Amino acid sequence: MGSVKEDFMVSVSKKEVVAAALPSQEHWLPLTNLDLLLPPLDVGLFFCYKKPNSNSLVNNNFGSVVGHLKKALAEALVSFYAFGGEVLPNALGEPELLCNNRGVDFVEAYADVELQYLDFHNPDESIEGKLVPKKKHGVIAVQATELKCGGIVVACSFDHRVADAYSTNMFLVSWAELARSIPISIVPSFRRSLLNPRRPWRFDPSIDDMYVQISSLPPPPPPEELPGDHLISRIYYVPADQLNELQSLSSSSGDKRTKLESFSAFLWKMVATIAAAEDKNKISKLGIVVDGRSRLGEGDEDKATLLSSHFGNVLSIPYGCETIGQLVDKPLPWVASQVHDFLKPATTKEHFLGLIDWVEAHRPDPAMTRVYCAGKDDGPALVVSSGLRFPVPKVDFGWGCPIFGSYHFPWGGLCGYVMPMPSPVSQGDWVVYMHLLKGHMELIEKEAANVFRPLTFDYLNLVSSLS
């Protein structure tokens, strides 16, 4: 097997706008209070496929593949019409969704690289700016790229203000189902009243510690005052036995921690240990994304059903903060206990109802999670978002399941971002997308090489499966 290829060229052959097959009447769709907590960030994701064979639903040529994708996309946009609109400011200056069927920018491209030589471990070189499109218009952009070997990469970039990963996963599965001429299994709900504030508002004061009005933040420091280090993206796999070991090491005195709590605690402690050389008194923050759909539906079966198909953001990001010294000196079970303690209050129905009310009380002044607002004098901050429901095997457009798929979210700022996802090849393993400071990433690779293992083609068994 040859080495990975990072300096390959990507040439765009065609750009087109794909609109819904049956356009709906133009209308405005307000963003919910939970949508309004998201800044204007675009999230990327990609899926890699082997060359279609003669038994697939498409002819063995890229033109047939693209036509197939576009036809199914036009059908999917009938139900997922929010992805065919555009976000514009309303009279209050708040973002609002104009459902006007402007359509989705669809790029066709060719990459001079074979699938087995793509460097998945370093998406900054192999994916960023090459295979995941830069969204310039609308809510979502799509790129289909033919590889030198006949393999295919299907990627998209979407506006996080309109959809969270749960919603986008629904869309991807529906798009793939329609491509295989299967009725969509989940029809999205856009019923905004499900997330209306209460009258009168009521919320716990602790929400003021989690979220902050952007107008109250100090201006960002000039570039020359930012740390010399910069954030980079890498993809690893974590073996199941290491996850089980972390869970065992993080649990103590009868308190069994979840794998996500244990993994997050281990990573938080690792990052703090690396930062300790600079200043052990600085504060380090860890946030964990919580999905509120099941929480808000508690005690109301009809509402629970509607929320399970709700399209939009239903997220909260509770976080903990500790001095670097404490995170380094205390044992792992103590760190895992801190993670559990800050996470637990945000996993309730009342928390999400209170968060909706909190946003209403502060509108139209935009707000965002405090953990993302890492300043130059703060210790390291990172957010862990579980992608363990990422439905890679279900994104089969008719020529087979992806051999690999991942989110790609280099979101800017100084706060790190980590997303564990299920492994496509080994039950119980995780694939982990990490966006952290370069210095931290290099030391994590060195000091925790048994846990974070670079994602390679040997792991994905690609060489044998492609031959």
Side-chain angles (χ1 to χ4, degrees):
M1 185 186 116
S3 60
V4 295
K5 185 176 180 182
E6 293 182 345
D7 58 347
F8 62 89
M9 299 292 291
V10 177
S11 53
V12 173
S13 57
K14 189 176 181 181
K15 295 181 180 179
E16 188 179 341
V17 177
V18 177
L22 293 170
S24 58
Q25 186 171 355
E26 182 174 307
H27 65 283
W28 288 93
L29 186 67
L31 299 186
T32 70
N33 283 6
L34 296 180
D35 292 324
L36 293 174
L37 287 170
L38 274 295
L41 292 169
D42 290 339
V43 183
L45 54 89
F46 63 94
F47 300 94
C48 302
Y49 302 84
K50 291 190 289 185
K51 180 180 179 178
N53 61 38
S54 56
N55 297 322
S56 67
L57 292 177
V58 295
N59 296 327
N60 196 2
N61 67 79
F62 188 58
S64 173
V65 165
V66 167
H68 189 72
L69 285 171
K70 288 179 179 175
K71 181 176 180 292
L73 177 59
E75 293 171 6
L77 290 173
V78 175
S79 296
F80 290 85
Y81 54 84
F83 267 160
E86 52 191 326
V87 178
L88 298 170
N90 61 20
L92 293 173
E94 294 179 327
E96 196 162 335
L97 190 59
L98 177 61
C99 299
N100 58 357
N101 198 32
R102 80 157 295 275
V104 172
D105 288 358
F106 194 110
V107 173
E108 301 170 39
Y110 174 81
D112 183 28
V113 64
E114 294 184 28
L115 186 55
Q116 61 179 319
Y117 300 134
L118 268 180
D119 187 357
F120 289 152
H121 173 53
N122 184 357
D124 288 339
E125 294 296 331
S126 60
I127 304 298
E128 175 68 19
K130 292 181 177 179
L131 301 177
V132 172
K134 291 287 185 189
K135 185 181 69 62
K136 297 176 181 175
H137 309 286
V139 177
I140 188 171
V142 174
Q143 179 174 322
T145 306
E146 181 184 20
L147 305 180
K148 193 176 180 180
C149 58
I152 297 159
V153 178
V154 178
C156 62
S157 182
F158 65 92
D159 190 329
H160 203 339
R161 294 174 296 179
V162 174
D164 56 13
Y166 184 102
S167 304
T168 305
N169 291 346
M170 277 199 303
F171 165 76
L172 292 165
V173 171
S174 298
W175 182 13
E177 287 170 338
L178 290 165
R180 302 196 311 276
S181 301
I182 298 171
I184 62 175
S185 51
I186 300 179
V187 178
S189 166
F190 295 95
R191 191 177 296 186
R192 285 357 205 178
S193 59
L194 288 171
L195 301 177
N196 278 352
R198 298 171 291 190
R199 294 285 189 271
W201 312 318
R202 60 183 188 274
F203 50 85
D204 194 278
S206 63
I207 294 180
D208 284 316
D209 298 326
M210 289 175 52
Y211 288 87
V212 60
Q213 291 167 268
I214 294 174
S215 61
S216 68
L217 292 172
E224 61 270 16
E225 291 184 18
L226 292 173
D229 205 354
H230 63 285
L231 282 82
I232 61 172
S233 296
R234 295 290 184 267
I235 300 178
Y236 302 91
Y237 74 94
V238 180
D241 62 341
Q242 292 294 326
L243 289 168
N244 291 333
E245 177 77 1
L246 284 180
Q247 187 175 24
S248 175
L249 291 171
S250 300
S251 305
S252 67
S253 56
D255 293 322
K256 186 175 182 181
R257 301 305 175 204
T258 66
K259 283 189 173 69
L260 188 69
E261 288 172 337
S262 306
F263 170 83
S264 301
F266 174 77
L267 187 58
W268 197 12
K269 190 173 175 67
M270 278 292 307
V271 167
T273 302
I274 294 163
E278 298 171 18
D279 186 347
K280 293 181 75 169
N281 294 315
K282 283 188 174 182
I283 299 292
S284 178
K285 298 175 188 172
L286 169 72
I288 297 182
V289 178
V290 178
D291 187 306
R293 286 172 173 82
S294 62
R295 281 89 185 182
L296 284 166
E298 287 172 3
D300 186 335
E301 195 173 324
D302 292 338
K303 188 173 183 179
T305 301
L306 286 167
L307 280 165
S308 69
S309 61
H310 175 79
F311 188 95
N313 290 281
V314 193
L315 305 175
S316 179
I317 311 181
Y319 73 93
C321 51
E322 302 292 342
T323 65
I324 289 171
Q326 275 195 304
L327 292 169
V328 172
D329 297 337
K330 297 282 189 179
L332 184 60
W334 182 88
V335 181
S337 179
Q338 306 310 111
V339 173
H340 178 81
D341 289 349
F342 78 68
L343 195 53
K344 189 174 181 180
T347 59
T348 65
K349 180 178 184 177
E350 182 56 38
H351 168 78
F352 279 90
L353 291 173
L355 184 55
I356 292 167
D357 290 354
W358 184 91
V359 175
E360 189 69 16
H362 293 85
R363 289 177 65 184
D365 195 1
M368 65 186 295
T369 175
R370 283 185 185 270
V371 70
Y372 183 75
C373 309
K376 64 183 178 69
D377 296 323
D378 295 332
L382 66 151
V383 168
V384 176
S385 178
S386 172
L388 294 171
R389 290 184 296 195
F390 190 35
V392 174
K394 294 183 179 180
V395 189
D396 174 1
F397 292 104
W399 60 84
C401 299
I403 53 93
F404 182 67
S406 174
Y407 272 82
H408 178 66
F409 194 22
W411 64 351
L414 297 174
C415 182
Y417 181 84
V418 177
M419 176 179 269
M421 295 164 280
S423 165
V425 294
S426 184
Q427 184 76 27
D429 287 8
W430 286 1
V431 166
V432 183
Y433 169 83
M434 295 175 64
H435 184 64
L436 297 175
L437 287 170
K438 183 173 184 288
H440 291 179
M441 199 87 80
E442 289 171 347
L443 278 163
I444 285 171
E445 272 197 27
K446 182 181 176 184
E447 301 297 330
N450 59 324
V451 177
F452 295 99
R453 305 185 186 186
L455 193 76
T456 64
F457 291 92
D458 288 341
Y459 175 74
L460 291 171
N461 298 315
L462 275 184
V463 178
S464 59
S465 66
L466 290 173
S467 58

